[in-house]
Amino acid sequence: MAYIDRRPGIRPRPTLGRRLDIAARAGVPGCLTILLMLLTEAPLGIAGQATLLPAVALCSVWFWSLVRPESFPPPLVFVIGLLLDLLGYLPLGAGMFTLLCVHGVALTLRRGLALRGFVWIWLVFALVASAASLAIWLLVMLLNFRLLSPRPAMFMAVLSVAIYPVLAVPFAAAHRSVANPEDA
Amino acid sequence: MIRLSIQARQALARLTLPVLIVASFAMMLLGKADALLAERARTALADGLAPIYAALAAPLGRVHDAVNEAVNLWDMRDENARLRDENEKLRRWQSIALALDAENQRLKASLHWIPDPDASFVTARVVADAGGVYAKAVLLSVGPNHGIRKGEIAVDERGLVGRVTEVGSRTARVLLLTDLNSRIPVTLETSRAHAILIGTNGPRPRLLYWPEGVVPQEGERIVTSAEANAFPANLPIGAVHYAGNGAPEVEPAAMLQKLEVVRIFDYGLNGVTAPEPAARATPGRH
């Protein structure tokens, strides 16, 4: 941020290049999330790869809703949820509803968690991810009129919690650098 | 753009999340009301993404091969000894198979047997998982003029894989025989009894509805049955295995965990293919 920007007052409209820069930085969280989701569907040949997609979506929505909700508005969460439903072959609306709820929870807990450290955020995420996996499991059963084994839901919760630190570290680096509109 | 007061804008911003949550419920209803909508959207998305995944498959495959190579080098000696043993066993079987084949030909010739028509097939690469967490299916990348239709049979080099359930312009989705919705009419090879193979989303589908008086034997081979005109007869599926709770399951012969290339056979069967949307409207029900 330039020195002049730190002082209050009226100043000329930012130039086109700067506005583009700000917009691009604001778009980083969404693009990063969608790109990662598409990447989890690539033929990586990992066992249990199908569960990576909801896990990555949950982690991304939780992280960015907590640290940078202004770049991660509800309509974006809606689109990510739609992508999760379509790519993950979930019944339409199941992933969408769950991710929007996760977003809402993150927004309410934001102030409380901002002062705590990473471990706290991770612990709360463990609860949120378990609840989200349960919600998706219940919705899939409800929308398909079918009883399903709870094992995939448990695996989804465990995998989400396990990969959260792996994603959070690069996300935090991006949050401080490329995704920060104030750096423009 | 409409200019709003700051208060109105804040109120709107606060309303977005509840409105979108309601919208997601509306999507659930929409998905239930028009199941084809989601299917079409998925196929369109898969068609768009398949070329990217197909392009990624080659370098990712090379990385995989390199890793496998390293692992193989590690236990090459043991592997070699095992293969030599197996080779000897297979050689014995080969001579038996050749003798049986010759005998079979002679018997068929003396019976004036009408040979089964040869089925045409195309080979396609598996590019992505198409099942998600609660289904078992794979996505195939096929050329633009592939001619694959719903209901065709997917087979890998060892046995039955599943059936084509959705076809896009560049992709086809194959429902695996382990999927929860998979029902396959089968024959127990030694007793020739019919049964139904029911997917459970687990690695081994369950065997159900075999006739009274017949008990599936552990290790007995399971092949498809031509009943219901959905599958050709005698495609290998797998072998019976009794689970811990005493229920017979089938260990699929096909390597469903790591499918790379499958063949799609057109046997010209249309026994239980889902009717096309236009043909679905039955008289008296609109």
Side-chain angles (χ1 to χ4, degrees):
Chain A
M1 197 170 10
Y3 173 68
I4 187 169
D5 291 341
R6 290 187 200 175
R7 289 168 43 188
I10 298 167
R11 57 183 69 85
R13 205 172 150 75
T15 58
L16 178 68
R18 181 134 190 269
R19 268 182 287 153
L20 275 179
D21 195 3
I22 290 173
R25 281 163 190 274
V28 165
C31 294
L32 209 58
T33 304
I34 290 174
L35 213 66
L36 271 177
M37 285 171 74
L38 292 181
L39 203 65
T40 59
E41 291 288 288
L44 305 172
I46 309 170
Q49 196 189 337
T51 316
L52 264 180
L53 174 75
V56 163
L58 275 178
C59 291
S60 299
V61 169
W62 176 251
F63 182 88
W64 291 112
S65 305
L66 267 187
V67 306
R68 204 170 274 289
E70 59 275 20
S71 300
F72 215 73
L76 179 63
V77 180
F78 188 82
V79 171
I80 289 171
L82 181 65
L83 196 65
L84 171 62
D85 289 340
L86 291 180
L87 280 181
Y89 289 85
L90 294 171
L92 221 54
M96 226 181 251
F97 170 75
T98 312
L99 290 187
L100 283 168
C101 288
V102 169
H103 179 71
V105 170
L107 288 188
T108 15
L109 296 181
R110 190 161 181 251
R111 301 236 173 273
L113 283 176
L115 302 171
R116 314 253 182 186
F118 172 78
V119 175
W120 261 97
I121 294 181
W122 194 16
L123 282 179
V124 177
F125 176 68
L127 289 181
V128 171
S130 309
S133 308
L134 184 72
I136 292 182
W137 181 62
L138 289 175
L139 280 173
V140 172
M141 288 206 291
L142 187 74
L143 291 170
N144 289 335
F145 290 113
R146 260 257 150 91
L147 281 177
L148 293 165
S149 151
R151 217 169 288 164
M154 288 182 212
F155 181 56
M156 190 198 288
V158 170
L159 188 71
S160 310
V161 177
I163 65 166
Y164 182 72
V166 181
L167 289 177
V169 171
F171 278 180
H175 161 57
R176 267 177 271 139
S177 56
V178 286
N180 190 352
E182 287 169 9
D183 266 1
Chain B
M1 206 179 131
I2 313 161
R3 290 203 174 271
L4 293 168
S5 70
I6 291 175
Q7 286 89 343
R9 247 184 288 166
Q10 276 177 343
L12 266 184
R14 226 170 290 136
L15 265 180
T16 330
L17 187 60
V19 166
L20 285 176
I21 287 182
V22 172
S24 71
F25 274 113
M27 286 298 263
M28 285 181 208
L29 290 181
L30 189 68
K32 278 270 76 154
D34 187 358
L36 273 177
L37 182 80
E39 190 185 312
R40 243 181 257 136
R42 282 190 180 121
T43 312
L45 191 64
D47 278 347
L49 290 172
I52 303 172
Y53 293 145
L56 275 177
L60 284 175
R62 270 201 290 281
V63 171
H64 252 256
D65 290 348
V67 171
N68 281 343
E69 194 86 334
V71 173
N72 282 346
L73 280 176
W74 199 250
D75 48 25
M76 196 141 57
R77 257 182 92 89
D78 292 348
E79 184 74 2
N80 226 346
R82 197 182 62 77
L83 283 177
R84 216 167 283 159
D85 273 2
E86 192 175 291
N87 215 3
E88 213 154 288
K89 224 178 281 169
L90 287 179
R91 227 182 274 278
R92 276 202 294 276
W93 275 112
Q94 191 196 21
S95 61
I96 294 172
L98 284 173
L100 284 176
D101 189 45
E103 187 186 38
N104 207 354
Q105 295 300 334
R106 264 202 321 280
L107 291 174
K108 275 181 182 171
S110 62
L111 282 173
H112 298 294
W113 176 271
I114 302 167
D116 290 330
D118 280 338
S120 67
F121 68 90
V122 289
T123 307
R125 184 184 279 280
V126 174
V127 287
D129 174 277
V133 181
Y134 295 104
K136 299 285 169 206
V138 291
L139 194 71
L140 308 181
S141 167
V142 290
N145 300 316
H146 49 73
I148 291 175
R149 285 181 292 111
K150 276 188 191 182
E152 290 185 356
I153 316 289
V155 174
D156 80 347
E157 68 271 24
R158 297 187 179 192
L160 182 73
V161 168
R163 290 178 39 193
V164 176
T165 51
E166 275 146 48
V167 178
S169 58
R170 294 161 184 282
T171 55
R173 184 176 183 237
V174 172
L175 195 77
L176 302 185
L177 56 93
T178 46
D179 184 88
L180 199 61
N181 288 315
S182 161
R183 302 281 183 277
I184 298 175
V186 297
T187 308
L188 309 178
E189 201 171 52
T190 28
S191 60
R192 303 309 296 174
H194 291 291
I196 300 282
L197 190 66
I198 295 182
T200 56
N201 274 358
R204 282 185 291 273
R206 270 163 50 212
L207 201 58
L208 277 182
Y209 308 126
W210 61 86
E212 220 170 312
V214 176
V215 179
Q217 302 296 319
E218 171 84 31
E220 186 172 359
R221 266 166 50 92
I222 300 291
V223 295
T224 53
S225 139
E227 231 171 277
N229 204 22
F231 289 90
N234 296 328
L235 280 180
I237 295 180
V240 175
H241 173 72
Y242 275 87
N245 57 3
E249 294 178 335
V250 171
E251 182 77 53
M255 290 190 294
L256 299 177
Q257 302 298 326
K258 37 183 166 186
L259 286 172
E260 279 176 9
V261 171
V262 297
R263 282 175 294 167
I264 305 288
F265 278 90
D266 181 12
Y267 288 99
L269 303 169
N270 47 11
V272 286
T273 312
E276 290 299 317
R280 189 151 61 174
T282 45
R285 248 189 82 195
H286 291 288

